Amino acid sequence: MNPSTEALATAARERRERAESAVEKALREARKARTPVSVTSIAKAAGVSTDFIYRHPVLRPQVEALRRARRDNDPTGATGHPDAEAAASTLVRRLTQQLATERRKHREEVTQLRTALETAHGDLLALRRQLADRQ
């Protein structure tokens, strides 16, 4: 291996080690803080990309385990509570209905606009033909 390749490999290894240390530190702080945990929150706290954590064979399982532990031991009791699930389900249903209504309105509006455009194109064609006949 030539010296420049060795230098690049060394720099990459050191950068990876710094990133791993930062993620481990962020995990320790998240355990102490008892705050909700996600790959995104840990990556942000560590100053690394989420892709780095998702691709890391050791860190990703640690983050996911902590996230699951937080979800299972949610002190508010909101997660998994039947009323909370019913409310979320109702909200999803209501938003889905609103989305369907909006999509239907937009489709109708697009149909009206296309009809108006086709009419305008027809009128333009007729005017061009009249102009051509006069010349």
Side-chain angles (χ1 to χ4, degrees):
M1 204 184 287
N2 67 33
S4 62
T5 306
E6 283 183 35
L8 285 173
T10 301
R13 184 177 58 255
E14 290 173 354
R15 188 173 57 245
R16 186 186 71 247
E17 289 170 356
R18 281 193 305 271
E20 288 171 348
S21 296
V23 171
E24 289 168 356
K25 181 181 177 190
L27 279 168
R28 282 192 302 273
E29 291 173 3
R31 284 185 189 103
K32 290 177 190 175
R34 301 267 186 226
T35 57
V37 175
S38 67
V39 172
T40 304
S41 67
I42 296 297
K44 185 175 180 181
V48 300
S49 69
T50 55
D51 189 54
F52 176 78
I53 295 175
Y54 279 121
R55 291 178 184 264
H56 200 284
V58 176
L59 296 175
R60 180 179 181 177
Q62 290 178 8
V63 173
E64 290 174 347
L66 183 58
R67 186 185 69 216
R68 276 192 305 275
R70 289 291 159 80
R71 186 183 61 221
D72 294 343
N73 296 326
D74 186 4
T76 63
T79 305
H81 192 273
D83 290 340
E85 290 175 6
S89 177
T90 301
L91 177 63
V92 168
R93 228 177 287 120
R94 186 178 314 132
L95 290 173
T96 303
Q97 289 172 347
Q98 286 177 353
L99 182 60
T101 302
E102 289 296 315
R103 289 178 73 190
R104 186 172 38 258
K105 287 178 186 176
H106 286 208
R107 271 195 299 270
E108 290 170 0
E109 185 178 342
V110 167
T111 301
Q112 290 172 354
L113 290 172
R114 281 189 178 155
T115 302
L117 182 62
E118 289 170 358
T119 303
H121 280 296
D123 293 345
L124 283 173
L125 181 61
L127 289 172
R128 284 186 187 140
R129 287 182 179 162
Q130 287 176 1
L131 183 62
D133 289 343
R134 289 183 189 169
Q135 291 177 355

